[in-house]
């Protein structure tokens, strides 16, 4: 039976396969260099909420302290989200008929929480405590970014293990004076905080620090 392919067919096929491989690698490289990997980890994506709450308005314009709404941030692993009673502390008198606030009023009347959608989510194998970090002098802005500039809430940090470890290896970069922890304009890692002293840094990079 005569050969269906000539002597050059093997060479052409190999060159074609090499060209296809080169295109795939080049395309991957372009995506890696010029693409935005943050989209794969939900970073910088705004999360829709039942109420379009604006930190830019409440924190940046009105000057609300983080702890007014996130009342357990200093005493619990979880910062907490505002209950309807917290919202209605102001909105029982302000914007009482605004349609945008009806989910809050309905939750308040029914004695149920507002169904806020979670913005920051860590894997189940990771244990994170707001209390531990806040009591150590870590500023809110170190992880959450400039909340006073966010019209809608987004995930500011990548939350990857490498990001966490970079802070645990150099914690002074995230620290501020204790009285500035909740300042949305705080500047962690500035020159006046460069001398922040952290004992037992080896513990901070131990697996058991976060995985237990």
């Amino acid at each position: 039976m005569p050969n269906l392919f000539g002597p050059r067919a093997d060479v052409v096929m190999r060159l074609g396969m090499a060209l296809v491989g080169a295109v795939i690698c080049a395309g991957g490289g372009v995506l890696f260099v010029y693409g935005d990997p943050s989209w794969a980890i939900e970073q910088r994506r705004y999360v829709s909420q039942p109420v379009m709450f604006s930190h830019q308005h409440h924190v940046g314009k009105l000057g609300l302290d983080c702890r007014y709404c996130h009342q357990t941030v200093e005493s619990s692993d979880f910062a907490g989200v505002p209950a309807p009673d917290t919202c209605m502390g102001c909105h029982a008198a302000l914007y009482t008929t605004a349609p945008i606030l009806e989910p809050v009023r309905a939750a308040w009347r029914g004695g149920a929480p507002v169904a806020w959608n979670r913005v920051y989510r860590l894997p189940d194998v990771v244990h994170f405590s707001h209390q531990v970090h806040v009591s150590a002098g870590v500023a809110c802005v170190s992880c959450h970014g400039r909340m006073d500039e966010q019209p809608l809430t987004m995930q500011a940090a990548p939350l990857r293990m490498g990001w966490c470890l970079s802070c645990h290896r150099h914690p002074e970069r995230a620290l501020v004076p204790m009285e500035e922890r909740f300042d949305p304009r705080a500047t962690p890692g500035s020159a006046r905080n460069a001398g922040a002293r952290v004992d037992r840094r080896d513990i901070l990079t131990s697996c058991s620090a976060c995985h237990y």
Side-chain angles (χ1 to χ4, degrees):
M1 181 176 177
N3 291 329
L4 297 177
F5 302 101
R8 298 176 57 188
D10 183 64
V11 175
V12 172
M13 183 183 70
R14 290 176 183 272
L15 288 175
M17 292 177 64
L19 179 61
V20 170
V23 170
I24 292 174
C25 291
V30 169
L31 287 175
F32 180 79
V33 174
Y34 294 102
D36 187 359
S38 66
W39 285 92
I41 53 177
E42 303 299 323
Q43 187 183 6
R44 295 196 295 275
R45 275 187 176 180
Y46 291 113
V47 177
S48 62
Q49 300 290 351
V51 179
M52 291 182 64
F53 180 87
S54 171
H55 280 86
Q56 185 180 52
H57 173 74
H58 289 81
V59 178
K61 184 177 179 180
L62 301 180
L64 261 64
D65 189 286
C66 304
R67 292 163 290 186
Y68 183 80
C69 295
H70 304 288
Q71 298 173 355
T72 59
V73 68
E74 295 181 277
S75 58
S76 171
D77 290 343
F78 303 98
V81 292
D85 286 346
T86 301
C87 303
M88 294 303 291
C90 292
H91 290 294
L94 298 172
Y95 305 108
T96 56
T97 60
I100 196 174
L101 295 175
E102 179 54 29
V104 175
R105 293 192 293 267
W108 183 57
R109 290 192 299 266
V114 178
W116 300 107
N117 293 316
R118 191 163 185 169
V119 177
Y120 287 77
R121 186 181 300 277
L122 289 170
D124 292 339
V125 297
V126 179
H127 181 85
F128 177 88
S129 171
H130 277 86
Q131 178 187 19
V132 170
H133 288 77
V134 169
S135 63
V138 177
C140 297
V141 70
S142 294
C143 300
H144 295 286
R146 290 289 300 272
M147 297 304 298
D148 61 319
E149 296 178 350
Q150 293 186 28
L152 295 176
T153 307
M154 67 177 180
Q155 179 182 309
L159 299 186
R160 288 184 171 176
M161 188 168 72
W163 177 79
C164 297
L165 279 172
S166 67
C167 186
H168 278 212
R169 291 183 178 122
H170 305 284
E172 64 278 358
R173 297 175 182 174
L175 300 179
V176 294
M178 296 297 282
E179 65 274 12
E180 296 182 13
R181 292 169 295 167
F182 304 102
D183 185 345
R185 299 173 182 83
T187 54
S190 59
R192 61 194 179 87
N193 299 323
R197 181 171 175 270
V198 178
D199 291 327
R200 296 302 307 274
R201 293 179 184 234
D202 57 315
I203 294 178
L204 294 179
T205 53
S206 170
C207 298
S208 60
C210 303
H211 305 285
Y212 62 92

